[in-house]
Amino acid sequence: MKRVGIARLRRFAKIYNRWRYRGRNRVHRKAFTGDFPRLLQENGAPSAWPPRIQLRDGWARDDSLTLPHLDRVLEQSAEIVRERGGTKHSSTQQPFLRGLLFPGDLERYPAILDFILSSEVLATAAQHLNTTPVLSKTLPPGVRFMESNAALDPDANGPFRESQLYHLDLHDTPLVYVLVLVEDVTEESGPWTFLSASTSARAKAALRYQRRGCDYRITDEQMYSVIDPKEAISFTGKKGSVLFIDSSDCFHYGSRRAVRPRFQLMYGLTTPCRCDLFQTSYENTYPIPPDASALRRMVTEPWR
Ligand SMILES: [Fe+2]
């Protein structure tokens, strides 16, 4: 990627996916431009259009604790934390960021999907994506429940690595990540830390990021040679706080020395035509209730 240049590869993938998934692209776009308020209404209240929460400069946070199904999400998440938190479940994961969801969990804990597929959350994502969203069909999975815990990382005191370093996500542009704090998060929890889209654009140009020869991960030293460290924003807060962010436009890192464990739900919403080619080889599937609305189906149904 470094040799060819990430920007070039992403451009190629986008063009290819626009051709390969043109039918699907058309369906999502038509639903968005023609019928979206009605689709939201049929999917359930609150269905305001334009949405109450809108991304500005690449992000928006909501601390109102009023988003649909959030209380159920927090209850069901607490059950998962009680049952699985603080333990190594698999050695194939990043040691500082571990998944707590197992097969069958989206059926067992239905609030997790009910929240992300609610009209209010989908409206915010759709407005930013300018189309009807897709719950990520490949990597990253559309739904993750992650624990960041320094006690589970044998190299917790070593240099920062992988997603502990600044980067922009590659899988699509635009995209919307929705992060939910399942427990209170402080600076000791290795919070998700990001730069706004305008600061990121400045850094991207100065670092020649995604151009040929530039690394995917950026050290703090590199980043803070082109921007002021005070421009970094930490997603700390009370449980139930929600961050909407375009992580392909906003540099970010997280899970740094989480001495107080961080539990966070992470959802990935994309457009139908991504900037990677993984989708050609496999596809995540999500449970669809028999009475699912047309919008919910469109966001989660399999394409194959
Ligand atoms: Fe990322």
Side-chain angles (χ1 to χ4, degrees):
M1 283 203 305
K2 186 177 171 181
R3 202 152 38 90
V4 184
I6 291 171
R8 263 186 168 184
L9 289 169
R10 296 178 83 227
R11 260 196 313 273
F12 166 77
K14 193 80 170 175
I15 291 167
Y16 173 78
N17 285 332
R18 275 195 182 132
W19 168 76
R20 176 157 180 167
Y21 301 110
R22 58 194 177 279
R24 195 71 207 191
N25 197 24
R26 221 175 293 129
V27 168
H28 280 242
R29 186 71 197 140
K30 204 173 152 209
F32 179 71
T33 52
D35 224 7
F36 211 60
R38 193 191 58 77
L39 284 171
L40 289 171
Q41 237 169 36
E42 189 218 346
N43 188 52
S47 56
W49 185 257
R52 174 178 69 87
I53 305 166
Q54 302 190 15
L55 277 71
R56 304 243 186 263
D57 207 6
W59 65 285
R61 73 175 280 172
D62 183 67
D63 297 279
S64 70
L65 300 178
T66 62
L67 282 166
H69 306 287
L70 188 58
D71 46 350
R72 288 175 59 224
V73 166
L74 295 178
E75 257 169 49
Q76 296 182 6
S77 301
E79 204 179 310
I80 296 174
V81 171
R82 269 197 306 275
E83 189 184 297
R84 303 172 191 170
T87 311
K88 287 182 189 175
H89 296 283
S90 149
S91 53
T92 57
Q93 310 193 23
Q94 297 183 100
F96 52 85
L97 182 64
R98 292 170 178 274
L100 294 184
L101 285 187
F102 301 154
D105 277 349
L106 296 181
E107 286 90 347
R108 191 169 158 205
Y109 301 106
I112 293 178
L113 277 183
D114 291 343
F115 166 78
I116 193 68
L117 300 173
S118 66
S119 298
E120 197 171 7
V121 173
L122 286 180
T124 294
Q127 198 201 35
H128 182 73
L129 299 176
N130 206 27
T131 189
T132 309
V134 175
L135 193 57
S136 178
K137 294 210 169 285
T138 61
L139 292 174
V143 183
R144 288 186 292 164
F145 186 176
M146 306 306 288
E147 173 176 6
S148 308
N149 187 343
L152 300 177
D153 179 3
D155 296 317
N157 294 317
F160 298 134
R161 59 212 196 272
E162 299 176 61
S163 62
Q164 294 174 322
L165 294 170
Y166 274 115
H167 62 283
L168 292 177
D169 289 343
L170 299 178
H171 52 282
D172 201 3
T173 295
L175 65 85
V176 176
Y177 238 57
V178 183
L179 309 183
V180 181
L181 302 187
V182 161
E183 289 190 352
D184 295 356
V185 166
T186 66
E187 287 297 339
E188 288 71 53
S189 323
W192 222 75
T193 302
F194 63 97
L195 310 177
S196 70
S198 55
T199 303
S200 297
R202 210 171 356 109
K204 194 174 169 184
L207 295 165
R208 297 181 54 77
Y209 187 71
Q210 293 183 346
R211 305 280 190 85
R212 232 189 283 191
C214 185
D215 284 315
Y216 175 52
R217 308 283 184 187
I218 301 291
T219 63
D220 286 8
E221 201 183 5
Q222 290 172 304
M223 185 57 83
Y224 298 139
S225 70
V226 297
I227 66 141
D228 187 334
K230 288 196 196 91
E231 293 180 274
I233 305 165
S234 303
F235 182 39
T236 53
K238 293 279 172 206
K239 83 171 176 186
S241 301
V242 179
L243 178 70
F244 296 82
I245 187 162
D246 188 329
S247 56
S248 70
D249 262 350
C250 297
F251 275 103
H252 58 279
Y253 68 75
S255 305
R256 289 185 175 182
R257 299 198 183 110
V259 290
R260 171 190 171 133
R262 185 193 87 183
F263 294 96
Q264 188 166 274
L265 269 160
M266 307 173 78
Y267 298 96
L269 292 162
T270 70
T271 71
C273 303
R274 304 163 56 111
C275 294
D276 62 29
L277 296 174
F278 295 128
Q279 199 166 323
T280 54
S281 41
Y282 75 98
E283 187 177 316
N284 298 326
T285 53
Y286 302 100
I288 303 177
D291 59 346
S293 70
L295 179 60
R296 184 169 175 143
R297 264 174 215 288
M298 199 179 292
V299 176
T300 50
E301 72 193 350
W303 291 5
R304 297 183 177 180

